[in-house]
Amino acid sequence: MNAPQAGIFALGTSSHAYLEFDRAGGHEGLELVEAIASLREPRTTMGGVNLVAGFRPELWRDVAPDDAPAELEDFKGDLIGSDGFVMPATQHDAVLWLSGSAYDVIFDVARQAIAELRGLAEVVEETSSWPYQHDRDLTGFVDGSENPSLIDAPELVLIPEGGPGAGGTILLLQKWAHDAAEWESLSVAKQEEVIGRTKPESVELEDKAPDSHVASTDQDEFGKIFRRNMPYGTVTDHGTMFVGFSSTQGPLVKMLESMAGLAGHARDALTLYTRPLTGAYYFVPSTDWLRRLSGPA
């Protein structure tokens, strides 16, 4: 049985860093995959750090065709809604997501990883994140109310045995910037109308609007995903890192299309107060495949 990367399900971590890389100097994809797969120690529990590694789908297909889900694609182009709303495509070659109990350890492990990849890959996007009021995002609402439990999540979001990619999962990574001033100018009742849930208890509204965020991302309609979202940024410039895992790409694609107002859906009202800055899909292989492709420690 192919084992997933443990950090996907490591809840309760208080510090996060997301490093996205592009290959440098004409190096082959295999060289980058081997180098990342060889970052062995942080991927266990050394220093209280979890490391999740993902790769651009088409790069992974070139390197490990036997482990590449057939329908998985890169985030190839901007997703443009019916009214011109844009979700940008910023696909990169690889991502490292580090999480742990303290940022000093995350900082040191991230620097070490960057140093070990120097010459092979360049960091093109870097974001640090942290939890806010236990389980809320910077809108003040609970984030991930529909998340499956840790008992159910692996069965729902890991690719099952018997096919390419078994034990792996598909990651959608987006950075969303908040217009805090506009959002905080709304009454709580208006905010609840936009989200589709009550703010204190996160109870879904029975009469939620079709353009509410809950309606636009209805997992009963599109399929279950596992979210590990985190706030990011500074006091004056902040937002949400969307970190969504799925066993197939379809639910993630359909949710984005719904939020953008495509396929007969109303544009998500929350997108009036937050906008995506990045967008990329990554395949997160099993630890078994990473071991196969790792070079010398």
Side-chain angles (χ1 to χ4, degrees):
M1 182 176 179
N2 292 289
Q5 296 185 47
I8 298 168
F9 305 108
L11 300 182
T13 47
S14 59
S15 297
H16 300 253
Y18 310 89
L19 306 174
E20 294 181 85
F21 295 85
D22 281 337
R23 285 174 291 172
H27 288 280
E28 297 295 324
L30 177 59
E31 294 178 87
L32 177 59
V33 171
E34 288 178 339
I36 289 177
S38 298
L39 301 173
R40 290 193 179 114
E41 294 300 328
R43 198 183 307 120
T44 59
T45 56
M46 178 183 178
V49 175
N50 300 287
L51 172 60
V52 174
F55 303 93
R56 178 168 59 85
E58 293 178 12
L59 182 151
W60 183 256
R61 183 170 288 110
D62 289 341
V63 170
D66 292 341
D67 193 53
E71 304 302 322
L72 182 57
E73 296 183 340
D74 295 356
F75 203 131
K76 291 184 174 180
D78 294 350
L79 179 62
I80 302 175
S82 56
D83 62 354
F85 174 72
V86 177
M87 292 187 182
T90 59
Q91 183 70 62
H92 299 295
D93 286 330
V95 64
L96 295 180
W97 166 33
L98 298 97
S99 63
S101 59
Y103 188 69
D104 58 345
V105 181
I106 297 296
F107 180 86
D108 287 341
V109 173
R111 291 192 66 212
Q112 179 183 350
I114 292 170
E116 292 189 26
L117 299 177
R118 186 169 294 127
L120 286 174
E122 299 176 349
V123 177
V124 287
E125 186 74 36
E126 175 190 353
T127 307
S128 299
S129 294
W130 29 265
Y132 178 71
Q133 294 185 7
H134 181 58
D135 57 0
R136 296 179 185 266
D137 64 25
L138 296 180
T139 66
F141 283 76
V142 173
D143 196 350
S145 296
E146 292 192 5
N147 250 2
S149 70
L150 283 178
I151 294 175
D152 296 329
E155 183 178 347
L156 292 171
V157 303
L158 296 178
I159 297 171
E161 295 296 320
T169 185
I170 297 155
L171 166 64
L172 170 61
L173 185 67
Q174 289 180 301
K175 177 189 277 190
W176 288 77
H178 292 192
D179 187 338
E182 283 293 319
W183 177 254
E184 290 167 1
S185 72
L186 303 178
S187 66
V188 171
K190 178 61 178 177
Q191 290 180 356
E192 291 178 338
E193 181 182 323
V194 169
I195 298 295
R197 289 184 178 276
T198 61
K199 194 169 187 177
E201 303 88 5
S202 195
V203 176
E204 187 170 329
L205 302 179
E206 293 184 5
D207 57 347
K208 61 184 178 294
D211 67 344
S212 68
H213 183 58
V214 170
S216 298
T217 59
D218 185 356
Q219 294 191 35
D220 290 332
E221 178 178 354
F222 302 120
K224 292 293 184 182
I225 66 172
F226 186 61
R227 293 164 56 175
R228 293 294 309 276
N229 297 1
M230 277 287 152
Y232 78 87
T234 65
V235 173
T236 57
D237 181 14
H238 51 256
T240 298
M241 287 297 293
F242 178 86
V243 184
F245 294 95
S246 178
S247 61
T248 61
Q249 196 168 20
L252 299 167
V253 172
K254 290 175 183 176
M255 284 183 190
L256 291 190
E257 290 177 344
S258 172
M259 291 179 68
L262 298 173
H265 294 274
R267 177 180 160 188
D268 189 338
L270 185 58
T271 62
L272 298 174
Y273 308 96
T274 181
R275 62 187 176 90
L277 305 178
T278 68
Y281 289 109
Y282 295 101
F283 179 64
V284 179
S286 67
T287 56
D288 302 79
W289 270 93
L290 288 179
R291 290 192 194 99
R292 293 186 198 185
L293 293 167
S294 62

